Amino acid sequence: MPFVNPQNGPIMVEGAEKGDVIAVHIKSIRPRGPNPRGTCCMIPQFGALSGTSLTALLSDSLPEIVRKIDVDEDGVYWSKRVTLPYKPHIGTLSCSPEIDSINTLTPDAHGGNMDLPDMGPGSITYLPVQTAGGRLFIGDAHACQGDGEVCGTAVEFASTTTIEVDLIKGWQIDWPRLENEAVIMAIGSARPLEDATRIAYRELVLWMEAEYGYDRWDAYMMLSQCGQVRLGNFVDPKYTVGAAITKKYLAPEGV
Amino acid sequence: MPFVNPQNGPIMVEGAEKGDVIAVHIKSIRPRGPNPRGTCCMIPQFGALSGTSLTALLSDSLPEIVRKIDVDEDGVYWSKRVTLPYKPHIGTLSCSPEIDSINTLTPDAHGGNMDLPDMGPGSITYLPVQTAGGRLFIGDAHACQGDGEVCGTAVEFASTTTIEVDLIKGWQIDWPRLENEAVIMAIGSARPLEDATRIAYRELVLWMEAEYGYDRWDAYMMLSQCGQVRLGNFVDPKYTVGAAITKKYLAPEGV
Amino acid sequence: MPFVNPQNGPIMVEGAEKGDVIAVHIKSIRPRGPNPRGTCCMIPQFGALSGTSLTALLSDSLPEIVRKIDVDEDGVYWSKRVTLPYKPHIGTLSCSPEIDSINTLTPDAHGGNMDLPDMGPGSITYLPVQTAGGRLFIGDAHACQGDGEVCGTAVEFASTTTIEVDLIKGWQIDWPRLENEAVIMAIGSARPLEDATRIAYRELVLWMEAEYGYDRWDAYMMLSQCGQVRLGNFVDPKYTVGAAITKKYLAPEGV
Amino acid sequence: MPFVNPQNGPIMVEGAEKGDVIAVHIKSIRPRGPNPRGTCCMIPQFGALSGTSLTALLSDSLPEIVRKIDVDEDGVYWSKRVTLPYKPHIGTLSCSPEIDSINTLTPDAHGGNMDLPDMGPGSITYLPVQTAGGRLFIGDAHACQGDGEVCGTAVEFASTTTIEVDLIKGWQIDWPRLENEAVIMAIGSARPLEDATRIAYRELVLWMEAEYGYDRWDAYMMLSQCGQVRLGNFVDPKYTVGAAITKKYLAPEGV
């Protein structure tokens, strides 16, 4: 700290300008090196079940613990007792904000440290472009992560990640969005956590209205019946939530 | 309001006393009546994307809308365009609190209006007993509901629900818990939403420590890799979150 | 716990019915007994700078400390080093809610454990009547208290309190209000703390509009220049905030 | 937006380096120009009683209103009915953060848009130095402001402000602090509002322990009896709270 998380970039995208969207297709995430291992740790004044620099208390910190975990494409070897599935994804992905320069621990409207397990191979993340060239950053690979990243860290590992970047001209979005084979997902980052959830659901309602022929109130009421919420992180300086809907409900009317 | 949600009870459980747990097995939930329909509505000053009586603003309310939806065991017929799966569950389930008398709109440590889609057929909900006989209440059946019940209501319907009630003597739990074939889940209800999530994850860590042979910090760090979060409601006077872990990770050490 | 705070009542007010207001004039609060002392304590899992039952963490509790403090009408003898001024007030004051029965640790729209230092001699508290007779409760006297009652307790003491109760027919208010020589104050209780503040400010805007001839937006913008905020408690199950305006700004137009 | 608030700087302070503190003494704030006027406005998606870009709702915005107010050193001439006292102060004051570049709408540990009415003539603000030279910024003068700046803006005006800057070597503080004739005040900025309050009170406890000979728990319990809370803003991307104690309680033991 404060130099987490490691990032690659800026990647300049030719022709990108404010009001466009950069689409990041994640093609593959593979463990790197001969004996790939991930790291998970408990860090003083960090994590969801501890006093932190933001939820400032007078109680003692939890113990500091650093743990190494063997990883390959078949599993995350957490302990003798438990092998977790290998579900790699990108923790931190962003275009540059317009005027701020935000540390890579913090997610916000530009993307950043969202820690969404959905951001794995097969996903497309849509990021609003705020500056010429977009100035794309990517890093913070996770071999797997639970909802909320509750202790503050995932299985953080060195990976070889292959992405493909598209530029979508003239698509005005205020917050990042994600898509995979099954769902479309709007993403919000804020504190308190309900505000992150509000952003995500509002953006999803507006997306359904703008691009899928839904009436605003129909979309709102229907998401009350079938919306899916993913808690990305609730440990970072802003919490991240994705609100999603299954693609089959988006088929054009009359189909 | 203020007399929502409809409840059946109190059901007195013989021998139940403070320090016990009542386990509610939901066997089946079937639509009731000849032409079963559910109701979904937008209510002024209620819902997650609106000013409310608690998040008090000076802006106008969203419009009031009431909608009727045909329901049978094959589907929830939302619109010509969309049929949602029939996923019935119980919205409000509780034992009586020790000294308070809490309206059925509010979830808390006693259970209440948790609005968790997981509380359907095949699930067991564990409720802490606070008073002699437990004084069990049940009601508020939903034909389906999305994560967070964002507009404020699910597809609320009349159902015939069959439950089986067990008494577990001498199991001290502070918050409701749930179990189904796939997971165990601890449940917290609070505002802001991160506090509900904290309660749920803390209770899950303590559950894994007390009954599944996990070291506290191992459980905490492992949930950071494989914990599952369900947002029940973020519209009620307290928000409800379930934190869950897949049962296969709970198999005894050495098995 | 859970039987805090001590209360006197219910006091039935003849003729009071839903839609009225009970006005509680606090005439005097005097220490009781020959050697009056107050008590202040740090309680495990309680207080603003500690993990609590609602902000549930895995860290250890702060130490439990109980402290006795001599009190008379000249001062609160905190330590050899510090004598604090005697500023007595009532911590918990309410009419009964309509259908809930709420513990005396919790403030809400009915009043309850608001812990507002302004509720001292010379103040009038207006409570919405929800049930026939109002069913007034009063208790939890404090010899003094800081903003927010940060460690969880004030100098709690035995007092002789004299009040006068008026009934105001047909005044519909949603939340408690307070008045003294200097200000009028609207009171909100909720979590997170911004929601309590929103309630208090919204009620104050609506009060200025309804009874002091202010345009709504003028009131809102003017409070942005001269509104006064009192943090009552931020340790109870709901936090309490008062929003106030100096009475001289309420003089009728043209005066 | 996003280029609010206007700032002067960076002012380089010779010899300042990480681990030092820059003390900003505000000597005077005078209205500038021949017919000084301030501006107050209601801005769509901004303000405490409105849906915002962070508390994202589907309701309509409040109306946009811009208002000009005559100002001189005798008063703020709000309306024919109301003249408010001239209580000038600085809304935005900071040293540069270590690695982030944060917009001037946002307060944080570096200071920034705190909007504390206490930051007027006679006050000293202590800012942690994070970079060589400190890189001090100042701006956003207010002719007066209420607690919380509820509609989103104060009486924003052009001023001539005279400051004196001191460098305090080797004083490690994590958040800004303030001092005037009457009190010392620790300042926290965060969301939700209770987290800002927690930061402020924790920093005040630690300050009393480190520099005024207080035992930690004594300080914590005593602030529960005499702490003073100022709500700076609850409209900015982070809310700001000051927690203060009267200086007379800080006199050395035995005095």
Side-chain angles (χ1 to χ4, degrees):
Chain A
M1 306 244 185
F3 295 100
V4 289
N5 290 289
Q7 291 289 284
N8 300 282
I11 302 165
M12 306 303 286
V13 178
E14 217 170 352
E17 53 194 348
K18 195 176 170 179
D20 298 341
V21 161
I22 285 175
V24 180
H25 301 248
I26 299 179
K27 311 306 279 185
S28 66
I29 302 177
R30 299 219 161 75
R32 199 171 69 220
N35 297 301
R37 305 173 78 188
T39 304
C40 173
C41 44
M42 285 170 55
I43 300 165
Q45 300 294 302
F46 196 69
L49 301 184
S50 164
T52 68
S53 60
L54 292 175
T55 301
L57 307 179
L58 289 170
S59 41
D60 290 332
S61 290
L62 304 184
E64 185 165 2
I65 299 177
V66 179
R67 190 156 165 172
K68 298 287 176 182
I69 306 106
D70 288 326
V71 170
D72 64 29
E73 291 187 55
D74 294 325
V76 175
Y77 304 93
W78 181 260
S79 63
K80 283 187 188 164
R81 187 174 174 180
V82 173
T83 297
L84 299 169
Y86 179 70
K87 290 192 178 169
H89 56 275
I90 290 299
T92 309
L93 182 66
S94 64
C95 285
S96 285
E98 185 167 12
I99 60 167
D100 299 72
S101 163
I102 298 178
N103 62 63
T104 55
L105 189 64
T106 302
D108 208 326
H110 68 296
N113 191 26
M114 297 174 281
D115 292 317
L116 275 169
D118 311 84
M119 213 165 277
S123 69
I124 311 169
T125 301
Y126 301 107
L127 296 167
V129 175
Q130 297 293 341
T131 62
R135 308 183 72 87
L136 181 69
F137 288 86
I138 183 168
D140 185 24
H142 297 166
C144 65
Q145 186 207 293
D147 295 345
E149 203 184 12
V150 62
C151 91
T153 51
V155 176
E156 321 271 339
F157 80 136
S159 76
T160 299
T161 297
T162 306
I163 63 172
E164 197 178 283
V165 176
D166 273 351
L167 178 62
I168 304 173
K169 293 297 292 179
W171 187 24
Q172 179 75 48
I173 61 176
D174 289 335
W175 288 88
R177 296 176 177 180
L178 184 146
E179 179 172 359
N180 60 29
E181 214 179 356
V183 299
I184 63 168
M185 176 184 281
I187 301 167
S189 296
R191 286 192 181 205
L193 186 52
E194 51 265 44
D195 273 359
T197 316
R198 284 173 171 135
I199 292 167
Y201 260 128
R202 178 170 78 168
E203 293 301 306
L204 186 56
V205 168
L206 298 179
W207 194 359
M208 290 168 67
E209 188 186 35
E211 298 182 32
Y212 295 97
Y214 270 87
D215 167 79
R216 182 174 297 187
W217 308 128
D218 185 25
Y220 182 39
M221 294 176 84
M222 195 174 96
L223 287 171
S224 200
Q225 315 319 325
C226 65
Q228 299 168 45
V229 166
R230 168 76 77 183
L231 177 56
N233 90 76
F234 79 120
V235 292
D236 294 330
K238 299 196 175 194
Y239 306 135
T240 298
V241 168
I245 182 171
T246 300
K247 278 183 168 175
K248 70 177 164 192
Y249 302 140
L250 300 173
E253 236 172 317
V255 169
Chain B
M1 307 245 184
F3 295 100
V4 290
N5 288 291
Q7 291 289 284
N8 301 282
I11 301 165
M12 306 303 287
V13 178
E14 216 170 353
E17 55 194 346
K18 196 178 168 176
D20 299 341
V21 161
I22 285 176
V24 180
H25 301 248
I26 298 179
K27 311 305 279 185
S28 67
I29 302 178
R30 300 218 159 77
R32 198 170 70 219
N35 297 301
R37 304 171 80 189
T39 304
C40 173
C41 44
M42 284 170 55
I43 300 166
Q45 300 294 303
F46 196 69
L49 301 185
S50 165
T52 67
S53 61
L54 293 175
T55 301
L57 307 179
L58 290 171
S59 41
D60 291 332
S61 289
L62 304 185
E64 185 165 0
I65 298 177
V66 178
R67 190 158 165 171
K68 297 286 175 182
I69 307 105
D70 288 326
V71 170
D72 64 29
E73 290 187 56
D74 293 325
V76 174
Y77 303 94
W78 181 259
S79 64
K80 283 186 189 166
R81 188 174 174 179
V82 174
T83 297
L84 298 169
Y86 180 71
K87 289 193 178 167
H89 56 275
I90 291 300
T92 309
L93 183 65
S94 64
C95 286
S96 285
E98 184 166 13
I99 59 167
D100 299 72
S101 162
I102 298 177
N103 62 64
T104 55
L105 190 63
T106 303
D108 207 327
H110 69 295
N113 190 27
M114 296 173 281
D115 291 318
L116 274 170
D118 312 85
M119 213 164 276
S123 69
I124 311 169
T125 302
Y126 302 107
L127 296 167
V129 176
Q130 297 293 340
T131 62
R135 308 183 72 86
L136 181 68
F137 288 84
I138 183 169
D140 184 24
H142 296 166
C144 65
Q145 186 207 293
D147 295 346
E149 203 184 12
V150 63
C151 91
T153 51
V155 176
E156 320 271 338
F157 80 135
S159 76
T160 299
T161 297
T162 306
I163 63 171
E164 198 178 284
V165 176
D166 273 351
L167 177 63
I168 304 172
K169 295 295 294 178
W171 188 23
Q172 179 75 48
I173 62 177
D174 289 334
W175 288 88
R177 295 176 178 182
L178 184 146
E179 179 171 0
N180 59 29
E181 215 179 354
V183 300
I184 63 168
M185 176 184 281
I187 301 168
S189 296
R191 286 192 181 205
L193 187 51
E194 52 265 43
D195 273 358
T197 316
R198 283 173 173 134
I199 292 166
Y201 260 128
R202 178 171 79 168
E203 292 300 307
L204 185 56
V205 167
L206 298 179
W207 194 358
M208 290 168 66
E209 188 186 34
E211 299 181 33
Y212 294 96
Y214 269 87
D215 168 80
R216 181 174 299 188
W217 308 128
D218 185 24
Y220 182 40
M221 295 176 83
M222 195 174 97
L223 287 171
S224 199
Q225 314 319 322
C226 66
Q228 298 168 46
V229 165
R230 168 77 76 181
L231 178 55
N233 90 78
F234 79 113
V235 292
D236 295 330
K238 298 196 174 192
Y239 306 134
T240 299
V241 168
I245 183 171
T246 299
K247 278 182 166 175
K248 70 177 164 191
Y249 302 139
L250 300 173
E253 238 172 314
V255 169
Chain C
M1 307 248 187
F3 296 99
V4 289
N5 290 291
Q7 291 289 285
N8 300 283
I11 302 166
M12 307 303 286
V13 178
E14 217 170 353
E17 54 194 347
K18 195 175 169 177
D20 298 340
V21 160
I22 285 176
V24 180
H25 301 246
I26 298 179
K27 311 306 279 184
S28 66
I29 302 177
R30 299 220 161 76
R32 198 170 69 220
N35 297 302
R37 305 174 78 189
T39 304
C40 173
C41 45
M42 284 170 55
I43 301 166
Q45 300 294 302
F46 197 69
L49 301 185
S50 164
T52 68
S53 61
L54 292 175
T55 302
L57 307 179
L58 289 170
S59 41
D60 291 332
S61 290
L62 304 184
E64 185 164 1
I65 298 178
V66 179
R67 190 156 165 170
K68 298 287 176 182
I69 306 105
D70 288 326
V71 170
D72 64 29
E73 291 187 55
D74 294 325
V76 174
Y77 304 93
W78 180 260
S79 63
K80 283 186 190 166
R81 188 174 173 178
V82 173
T83 297
L84 298 169
Y86 179 70
K87 290 193 177 167
H89 56 274
I90 291 299
T92 308
L93 182 66
S94 64
C95 285
S96 285
E98 185 168 12
I99 59 167
D100 299 71
S101 162
I102 298 177
N103 61 64
T104 55
L105 189 64
T106 303
D108 208 326
H110 69 296
N113 190 27
M114 297 174 280
D115 292 317
L116 275 170
D118 312 85
M119 212 164 277
S123 69
I124 312 169
T125 301
Y126 301 108
L127 296 167
V129 175
Q130 297 293 339
T131 62
R135 307 184 72 87
L136 181 69
F137 288 85
I138 184 169
D140 185 24
H142 297 167
C144 66
Q145 186 207 295
D147 295 345
E149 202 184 12
V150 62
C151 91
T153 52
V155 176
E156 321 271 340
F157 80 136
S159 75
T160 299
T161 297
T162 306
I163 64 172
E164 197 178 283
V165 176
D166 272 351
L167 178 63
I168 304 173
K169 294 296 293 180
W171 188 23
Q172 178 75 48
I173 62 176
D174 288 336
W175 288 87
R177 296 176 177 180
L178 183 146
E179 180 171 0
N180 60 28
E181 214 179 354
V183 300
I184 64 169
M185 176 183 281
I187 301 167
S189 296
R191 287 193 181 203
L193 187 52
E194 52 265 44
D195 273 358
T197 316
R198 284 173 172 134
I199 292 167
Y201 260 127
R202 179 171 78 167
E203 292 301 306
L204 186 56
V205 168
L206 298 179
W207 194 359
M208 289 168 68
E209 188 186 34
E211 298 181 32
Y212 295 97
Y214 269 87
D215 167 80
R216 182 175 297 188
W217 308 127
D218 185 25
Y220 181 39
M221 294 176 84
M222 195 174 96
L223 288 171
S224 199
Q225 314 319 324
C226 65
Q228 298 169 46
V229 165
R230 168 76 77 183
L231 178 55
N233 90 76
F234 79 120
V235 292
D236 295 330
K238 297 195 175 194
Y239 306 134
T240 298
V241 168
I245 183 171
T246 300
K247 278 182 167 176
K248 70 177 164 192
Y249 302 140
L250 300 174
E253 237 172 315
V255 169
Chain D
M1 308 246 185
F3 295 100
V4 289
N5 287 290
Q7 291 289 286
N8 301 282
I11 302 165
M12 306 303 288
V13 178
E14 217 170 353
E17 54 194 347
K18 195 175 169 179
D20 298 341
V21 161
I22 284 176
V24 180
H25 301 247
I26 298 179
K27 311 306 280 186
S28 66
I29 302 177
R30 300 219 160 77
R32 197 170 71 218
N35 297 301
R37 305 173 79 190
T39 303
C40 173
C41 43
M42 284 170 55
I43 300 166
Q45 300 294 303
F46 197 69
L49 302 185
S50 164
T52 67
S53 60
L54 293 175
T55 301
L57 307 179
L58 289 171
S59 40
D60 290 332
S61 289
L62 305 185
E64 185 164 0
I65 298 177
V66 179
R67 190 158 166 169
K68 297 286 176 182
I69 306 104
D70 288 327
V71 170
D72 63 29
E73 291 187 55
D74 293 324
V76 175
Y77 304 94
W78 180 259
S79 63
K80 284 187 187 165
R81 188 173 173 180
V82 173
T83 297
L84 298 169
Y86 179 71
K87 289 193 178 167
H89 57 275
I90 291 300
T92 310
L93 183 64
S94 64
C95 285
S96 286
E98 184 166 15
I99 60 166
D100 299 72
S101 163
I102 298 178
N103 61 65
T104 54
L105 190 64
T106 303
D108 207 326
H110 68 296
N113 191 27
M114 296 174 281
D115 292 317
L116 274 170
D118 312 85
M119 213 164 277
S123 69
I124 312 168
T125 302
Y126 301 107
L127 296 166
V129 175
Q130 296 293 339
T131 61
R135 308 183 72 85
L136 181 69
F137 288 86
I138 183 169
D140 184 24
H142 296 166
C144 66
Q145 186 206 294
D147 296 344
E149 202 184 10
V150 62
C151 91
T153 51
V155 177
E156 320 273 338
F157 80 137
S159 77
T160 299
T161 297
T162 306
I163 62 171
E164 198 178 284
V165 175
D166 273 352
L167 177 62
I168 304 172
K169 295 295 294 178
W171 188 23
Q172 179 75 48
I173 61 177
D174 288 335
W175 288 88
R177 296 176 178 182
L178 184 147
E179 179 171 359
N180 60 29
E181 215 179 354
V183 301
I184 62 168
M185 176 184 281
I187 301 168
S189 296
R191 287 195 182 202
L193 187 51
E194 53 264 44
D195 273 358
T197 317
R198 283 173 172 134
I199 292 166
Y201 260 129
R202 179 171 78 168
E203 291 302 306
L204 185 56
V205 167
L206 298 179
W207 194 358
M208 290 168 66
E209 187 186 35
E211 298 182 33
Y212 294 96
Y214 270 87
D215 167 79
R216 181 174 299 189
W217 308 127
D218 186 24
Y220 181 40
M221 295 175 83
M222 195 174 96
L223 287 171
S224 199
Q225 314 319 323
C226 66
Q228 298 168 46
V229 166
R230 168 76 76 182
L231 177 56
N233 90 78
F234 79 114
V235 292
D236 294 330
K238 298 196 174 193
Y239 306 134
T240 298
V241 168
I245 183 171
T246 299
K247 278 182 167 175
K248 69 177 164 191
Y249 302 140
L250 300 173
E253 237 171 315
V255 169

